[in-house]
Amino acid sequence: MTETWDTIADWYAERVRTGSAMHEFARDVLLDKLPADLSGQRILDLGCGEGLITRALAARGGAVVGIDPSPRMIGHARAAEESGPCGALYAVDDGCSLATVATGSVEWVTAGLSLNNVPDLAAAVTAVRRVLAPDGHLVFTVPHPCFEAPQARWGDRGGGTPGRIVGNYLAEGFWRSANPEGARRAGNQHRTLSTYVTVLVEHGFTIEGTAEPAPGARVVAEQPLRAGLPPFLLFSAVRRGCPKGRCCGRR
Ligand SMILES: C[S@@+](CC[C@H](N)C(=O)[O-])C[C@H]1O[C@@H](n2cnc3c(N)ncnc32)[C@H](O)[C@@H]1O
């Protein structure tokens, strides 16, 4: 069976909700770049999955909408909202179009480990730009492209020393992990660092920060070989005026 995010949604929700150190680390890496108090702020959580980050944003006082193209993921997110309401809203939508989200309607877009799943990054960043108010923020994480490239794996780095074998970094495009226990069996769009930077700049975003946080103690306890390797790459960017001849024509 060829897996998709929808077919692995039950597995993913169970994994996240039973306390996955890696997913909680990923959430905290992203939340670290947002204000502790989000009262009065409107937020879109793009690729929200079962709602791990969406709920945390709502807990900080934000008015949050989570979107995801997987109906089953959104079903899990809505079920969590019903059993423990925090005010988060959810919609089935594609990050490449954001058809359910009004133009200029949010101050923040967050995207935790989801922009590495969209098939067309330029379309997604165009859509993000459209829904953001002027000077709105985009904060997102992706699996670190240097260490999570196609065919990256754990192996012998030489002399019997186990470590990360870097995959084919320059092979941009869709690839699927053969690991039956990994989320990337549903597939992943690999892109280089320069592609992420270029798309942001070409769509009128100013990159305010990047981060490659060292894995936390819980992550290393679960996966000791991860010590010294950042699992995620974070970008924090601000929507600026429309670059000439491109984008949406709005300031
Ligand atoms: C690793 S999960 C992350 C979910 C959530 N943000 C979290 O941190 O737990 C990746 C998510 O990206 C979503 N995704 C896949 N294609 C997408 C697209 N075109 N637009 C938006 N999200 C997409 C998947 O359905 C999945 O829920």
Side-chain angles (χ1 to χ4, degrees):
M1 175 182 178
T2 304
E3 302 277 24
T4 65
W5 280 104
D6 210 53
T7 63
I8 72 166
D10 294 0
W11 168 87
Y12 188 80
E14 170 77 10
R15 176 131 193 258
V16 167
R17 290 174 188 183
T18 48
S20 159
M22 189 61 99
H23 287 92
E24 288 174 12
F25 176 63
R27 175 197 61 195
D28 296 344
V29 161
L30 194 147
L31 289 178
D32 200 39
K33 300 298 171 194
L34 279 89
D37 182 0
L38 287 166
S39 306
Q41 299 293 297
R42 298 165 298 174
I43 307 162
L44 169 69
D45 188 26
L46 185 157
C48 64
E50 60 70 59
L52 178 72
I53 292 170
T54 327
R55 291 188 292 277
L57 295 167
R60 289 189 179 188
V64 197
V65 176
I67 68 95
D68 199 285
S70 160
R72 201 143 182 98
M73 286 283 195
I74 291 297
H76 283 293
R78 285 183 175 143
E81 176 64 22
E82 268 170 35
S83 59
C86 62
L89 300 173
Y90 296 98
V92 175
D93 199 353
D94 186 337
C96 292
S97 54
L98 298 176
T100 65
V101 189
T103 298
S105 63
V106 294
E107 282 77 36
W108 295 85
V109 173
T110 55
L113 306 177
S114 57
L115 284 177
N116 54 297
N117 290 294
V118 301
D120 185 341
L121 183 63
V125 174
T126 300
V128 167
R129 182 180 169 82
R130 178 183 63 77
V131 304
L132 276 173
D135 301 324
H137 302 262
L138 167 63
V139 184
F140 70 95
T141 53
V142 291
H144 200 299
C146 296
F147 312 115
E148 305 299 334
Q151 287 96 47
R153 60 188 170 83
W154 301 106
D156 185 349
R157 286 195 300 170
T161 308
R164 197 69 173 156
I165 312 292
V166 174
N168 189 349
Y169 176 73
L170 292 175
E172 289 200 316
F174 184 82
W175 69 282
R176 188 184 293 281
S177 164
N179 178 3
E181 300 300 318
R184 260 161 289 166
R185 68 186 192 272
N188 180 63
Q189 300 280 352
H190 174 66
R191 297 178 177 104
T192 62
L193 296 172
S194 56
T195 290
Y196 283 109
V197 171
T198 303
V199 167
L200 289 170
V201 170
E202 286 189 344
H203 288 77
F205 282 86
T206 299
I207 297 172
E208 291 212 311
T210 63
E212 302 171 289
R218 275 182 66 215
V219 171
V220 175
E222 280 183 9
Q223 301 182 49
L225 293 180
R226 289 245 174 231
L229 292 179
F232 309 117
L233 171 65
L234 175 139
F235 284 99
S236 178
V238 179
R239 181 198 186 285
R240 298 299 190 205
C242 208
K244 274 185 215 150
R246 297 194 180 110
C247 288
C248 53
R250 289 168 54 230
R251 178 184 117 55

